[in-house]
């Protein structure tokens, strides 16, 4: 697998939920990040998870609404998105990350291992 493969996007009404999946075969030892990009906007960090799944990070705009998880046995990382808002719309990507950082109980992630982005999965939140 040259890069993770995203799936699960779709059209949902505000307040609704979606669960995105990221097939990570070959990247089980990597921290994985979710990113999104809306039309006319820069790509932004959404969430990331450590290789073991024990540490997670969420951007301020999604914290409390999104949940990242992983099942290394299934070779899949998930992004459960609840209480979706129109500004959550965009193309969502998952990427293996170059590392992560622990500072006390705070967890943060480094950038992607490369700049080769997959097709992503599109999320549209609209009434």
């Amino acid at each position: 697998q040259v890069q993770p493969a995203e799936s699960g996007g779709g059209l949902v009404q505000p307040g609704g939920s979606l669960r995105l999946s990221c097939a990570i075969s070959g990247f089980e030892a990597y921290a994985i990040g979710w990113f999104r990009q809306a039309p006319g906007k820069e790509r932004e960090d959404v969430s990331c998870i450590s290789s073991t799944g024990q540490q997670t990070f969420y951007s301020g705009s999604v914290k409390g609404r999104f949940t990242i998880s992983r099942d290394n046995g299934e070779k899949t990382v998930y992004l459960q998105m609840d209480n979706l808002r129109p500004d959550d719309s965009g193309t969502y990507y998952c990427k293996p990350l170059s590392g992560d950082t622990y500072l006390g109980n705070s967890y943060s992630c480094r950038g992607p291992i490369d700049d080769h982005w997959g097709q992503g999965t599109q999320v549209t939140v609209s009434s």
Side-chain angles (χ1 to χ4, degrees), residues 15 76 121:
T76 304
T121 186

Side-chain angles (χ1 to χ4, degrees), residues 103-119:
L103 182 61
N105 292 323
S106 179
Y107 175 73
S108 62
C109 298
R110 294 179 180 269
I113 61 170
D114 58 40
D115 200 35
H116 299 290
W117 298 84
Q119 187 173 357

Side-chain angles (χ1 to χ4, degrees), residues 91-112:
T91 303
Y92 283 69
Y93 305 88
C94 61
K95 287 284 290 182
L97 305 179
S98 60
D100 46 16
T101 301
Y102 302 84
L103 182 61
N105 292 323
S106 179
Y107 175 73
S108 62
C109 298
R110 294 179 180 269

